[in-house]
Amino acid sequence: MKRMRTCIACRREGEKDDFFRIARMSDGSVILDAKGNGAGRGAYVCSSECFESARAKNRFPRVLRGSCPESALDEISASIVLYERS
């Protein structure tokens, strides 16, 4: 049985492949984990809209258990939009 993931913004559940994983690495950096299997604390969002909603509600620092630089979140936001367009 596959483990379900939950979007931190809309609470929709689904399989891992249906979500974008944002990870906080051991060095404190925050990245978009494109493969979804990298090390680090992870948070899942299902779309760019949910990413922006979670960002506006300041959910990333709580879920990732650490600070999230705005510059990193800007880069992740742009990357998610590009993935959705392709």
Side-chain angles (χ1 to χ4, degrees):
M1 175 187 267
K2 289 188 175 189
R3 187 169 158 227
M4 302 299 278
R5 304 298 195 268
T6 303
C7 175
I8 65 169
C10 70
R11 309 303 296 167
R12 181 177 74 86
E13 291 186 355
E15 293 186 16
K16 183 178 174 179
D17 294 341
D18 297 335
F19 295 92
F20 296 100
R21 181 175 187 262
I22 291 83
R24 183 171 180 275
M25 310 307 286
S26 59
D27 65 0
S29 62
V30 178
I31 63 163
L32 175 63
D33 181 8
K35 293 183 180 180
N37 61 358
R41 182 87 184 153
Y44 294 88
V45 293
C46 58
S47 66
S48 59
E49 291 84 13
C50 282
F51 177 86
E52 293 303 332
S53 175
R55 186 178 184 178
K57 294 175 183 174
N58 207 29
R59 291 201 176 151
F60 289 107
R62 181 179 51 82
V63 174
L64 297 176
R65 298 183 185 163
S67 64
C68 297
E70 285 300 313
S71 59
L73 295 178
D74 289 341
E75 289 178 27
I76 293 167
S77 178
S79 296
I80 289 174
V81 169
L82 287 175
Y83 276 113
E84 287 180 330
R85 289 183 183 166
S86 59

